[in-house]
Amino acid sequence: MYQTVKPKNDSVQSDCGVCPIKRRAVCAYCEAQDLVELEKIKSYKTYAPGEMIIWTGDDMRFVGSIVSGVASLSQTMEDGRRQMVGLLLPSDFVGRPGRAKAVFDVEAATEVTICRFDRKPFEQLLVKLPHLSGRMLEMSLDELDAAREWMLVLGRKNAREKIASLLSIIARREGELHKKPLRDGAEFDIKLTREAMADYLGLTLETVSRQINALKKDGVISLQGKRHVKICDCVRLMMETGNDDDGGMVI
Amino acid sequence: MYQTVKPKNDSVQSDCGVCPIKRRAVCAYCEAQDLVELEKIKSYKTYAPGEMIIWTGDDMRFVGSIVSGVASLSQTMEDGRRQMVGLLLPSDFVGRPGRAKAVFDVEAATEVTICRFDRKPFEQLLVKLPHLSGRMLEMSLDELDAAREWMLVLGRKNAREKIASLLSIIARREGELHKKPLRDGAEFDIKLTREAMADYLGLTLETVSRQINALKKDGVISLQGKRHVKICDCVRLMMETGNDDDGGMVI
DNA sequence: CGATATGTTGAACATTCTCAAGGGATGTGG
DNA sequence: CCACATCCCTTGAGAATGTTCAACATATCG
């Protein structure tokens, strides 16, 4: 478990014109007049690392977009077993229009800033603004594909393949962000603890630790500290994922 | 693997007015004039049990709704490992608007009839008909929740819990169909082979067989033949799933 | 400095898989 | 009609993978 940190309530002000995620978020297709409507119901909030953004069962007063940082979407069983079901990165959508109660926990893995929209009026805008609902549908379908890809990882891959899959996904997304293709020597920070990685992969944290160090020992990756990874052999990493094609990952 | 059966090409004619899935399918919110548009691009096709409806990599010339029967959505790795990522029942949607190539296999588990729409014109209707795109979004979000629920099953449940989860989902859906609540003595057919169940649960077929017979031996269920299940102890079955609440399943 | 969170490593153990054999049920061709 | 093949399912025994429990290392923070 993570430590729980007191929420910061500092409201940030920002302008859609300089928003870092404006080309990929739910509002990406909105035009100036649409944005005016959205701005009326918009507020920003920043969460500290480890802070719970939403608890399962909470009333969902807002939905929104991750502006910066990394959050996790997860489910917990009575006895404490936990499964992460989504990794929320900048531009990803939080919350479910049409649902009043949260069915998943959302937790800030790093410091996270969210552009929040009041849920009820947002739902009305979904009906009113085709640009908004169109992008919403597109994003939902992409997430659905990503979830299904991940089901293969959870159901059929062994521990080593799971770790390789996670690393390749993080590396790929990092690459997208910096517009660099994935290549030997690519470096990035894993913004997750071993435990969070285990929760994503359906493993124990001990197994995660062992397999990461095995990949290091085999020269597929190298580590600086615990969280900073360099991909030594990119093709090898893709082979280790067990995937036939290396372009098929949807996340 | 299933035997492959020659496709039947009998086109069925049907009228939306008497369609068994009209209240839940993607067209559920459409009005008379919307349906006229849809009928122009509509055709029915029936597939034999075991027949492949779509292969990964196929050009997607159509999307559509399952009218009757059960189909599976799955992914296969090079070495033959397979993971089912969706169980398609009547009213479920097949295909992904906006995507030209299939990324999953779709296979008929029983005889399946699909109401198909030509993909390109359907995409145009999505833009034109808010009732259509609204329902599409709603269904996509429901499927996404279901996929995420299933990730917990795949990642964190043991074999016995997985079997109990599958049985409770099938029983629940069967109940919805006949408008009966799930109760002791409820009966239904599992329309999947042990192998298909294994592919859904991320297990081997031997483990599936053993766990089903263990649940039978423990008096949770009873069997008539291999596929017909009676739930002897409904509360016990829910406990065996490992779920805290028994109403939270989204599928 | 102690307290806490995070990460590593080892050894015993449990669960599930793999491989193998065999048992109905169904369908087909001789 | 019978022999045979095929599909689906069951059961057993040994092997493999990952978990559990425990100890310890390191870094950060008040």
Side-chain angles (χ1 to χ4, degrees), chain B residues 10-31:
Chain B
D10 29 318
S11 275
V12 186
Q13 287 301 325
S14 185
D15 168 23
C16 292
V18 298
C19 179
I21 56 166
K22 65 178 177 182
R23 312 180 126 258
R24 294 194 299 160
V26 71
C27 51
Y29 298 161
C30 288
E31 295 173 11

Side-chain angles (χ1 to χ4, degrees), chain B residues 158-159 207 210:
Chain B
N158 64 29
T207 300
R210 280 186 251 266

Side-chain angles (χ1 to χ4, degrees), chain A residues 20 50-51 107 119 124 139 220 248:
Chain A
E51 188 177 346
E107 179 177 353
R119 183 172 65 84
Q124 286 159 7
M139 290 176 76
V220 182

Side-chain angles (χ1 to χ4, degrees), chain B residues 84-112:
Chain B
M84 203 186 293
V85 298
L87 197 55
L88 301 175
L89 300 187
S91 82
D92 283 341
F93 192 79
V94 180
R96 207 212 113 136
R99 171 161 293 160
K101 298 250 182 210
V103 297
F104 301 113
D105 293 330
V106 181
E107 181 177 349
T110 64
E111 182 171 278
V112 169

Side-chain angles (χ1 to χ4, degrees), chain A:
Chain A
M1 295 291 171
Y2 299 63
Q3 79 272 33
T4 305
V5 179
K6 284 200 194 119
K8 294 186 193 179
N9 284 311
D10 28 317
S11 275
V12 186
Q13 288 300 327
S14 184
D15 168 23
C16 292
V18 299
C19 178
I21 57 165
K22 64 178 176 182
R23 314 180 125 256
R24 293 196 297 162
V26 72
C27 52
Y29 299 161
C30 288
E31 294 173 12
Q33 68 253 35
D34 302 336
L35 291 177
V36 171
E37 302 262 27
L38 279 171
E39 300 233 29
K40 288 180 194 160
I41 59 170
K42 185 180 96 173
S43 65
Y44 290 88
K45 184 163 178 188
T46 297
Y47 300 83
E51 188 177 346
M52 293 303 297
I53 299 171
I54 301 164
W55 292 94
T56 296
D58 277 1
D59 285 326
M60 289 298 297
R61 303 247 296 285
F62 67 88
V63 297
S65 301
I66 306 274
V67 177
S68 65
V70 178
S72 69
L73 193 66
S74 63
Q75 260 182 300
T76 306
M77 294 170 69
E78 273 184 322
D79 58 10
R81 281 177 284 176
R82 184 159 66 165
Q83 178 62 50
M84 202 186 293
V85 297
L87 197 56
L88 301 174
L89 301 186
S91 83
D92 283 342
F93 192 80
V94 180
R96 207 212 113 133
R99 171 163 295 162
K101 297 251 182 210
V103 296
F104 301 112
D105 293 331
V106 181
E107 179 177 353
T110 64
E111 182 171 278
V112 169
T113 297
I114 300 188
C115 171
R116 310 196 305 181
F117 306 109
D118 298 323
R119 183 172 65 84
K120 281 285 182 192
F122 183 85
E123 288 169 8
Q124 286 159 7
L125 286 186
L126 271 183
V127 176
K128 200 170 131 190
L129 308 177
H131 289 134
L132 188 64
S133 56
R135 178 63 183 146
M136 184 82 206
L137 176 58
E138 201 173 70
M139 290 176 76
S140 302
L141 291 171
D142 284 344
E143 278 185 89
L144 183 57
D145 281 341
R148 286 174 165 163
E149 298 269 351
W150 201 252
M151 287 170 74
L152 176 67
V153 175
L154 291 174
R156 291 302 187 193
K157 292 193 179 181
N158 63 30
R160 190 179 175 97
E161 291 170 330
K162 285 180 175 182
I163 295 290
S165 297
L166 179 59
L167 292 179
S168 84
I169 281 177
I170 296 176
R172 194 180 304 277
R173 285 223 200 160
E174 203 80 11
E176 276 171 19
L177 210 61
H178 303 94
K179 314 207 171 182
K180 289 179 192 168
L182 185 53
R183 63 181 207 302
D184 290 358
E187 291 182 54
F188 57 92
D189 277 323
I190 309 178
K191 294 187 171 87
L192 300 173
T193 64
R194 298 288 187 260
E195 186 183 28
M197 295 171 70
D199 286 341
Y200 200 15
L201 296 167
L203 296 171
T204 59
L205 64 90
E206 293 93 334
T207 299
V208 170
S209 180
R210 281 186 250 266
Q211 294 297 337
I212 287 183
N213 288 308
L215 285 176
K216 175 184 166 189
K217 187 164 136 289
D218 294 347
V220 182
I221 58 173
S222 69
L223 297 176
Q224 286 175 355
K226 309 298 187 187
R227 305 273 191 101
H228 191 84
V229 177
K230 180 158 92 178
I231 307 219
C232 301
D233 188 338
C234 194
V235 173
R236 178 81 184 283
L237 181 66
M238 290 316 306
M239 303 238 331
E240 296 281 2
T241 66
N243 275 26
D244 38 342
D245 60 336
D246 48 15
M249 301 306 295
V250 176
I251 287 190

Side-chain angles (χ1 to χ4, degrees), chain B residues 160 163-165 167-168 171-172 181-188 214-223 229-242 246:
Chain B
R160 190 180 175 96
I163 295 289
S165 298
L167 292 180
S168 84
R172 195 180 303 277
L182 186 52
R183 61 181 210 301
D184 289 357
E187 292 182 53
F188 57 91
L215 285 176
K216 174 186 166 188
K217 186 165 136 289
D218 294 347
V220 183
I221 59 172
S222 68
L223 297 177
V229 177
K230 180 158 89 177
I231 306 215
C232 303
D233 188 338
C234 193
V235 173
R236 177 84 183 283
L237 181 66
M238 290 317 304
M239 305 238 330
E240 296 280 2
T241 67
D246 49 16

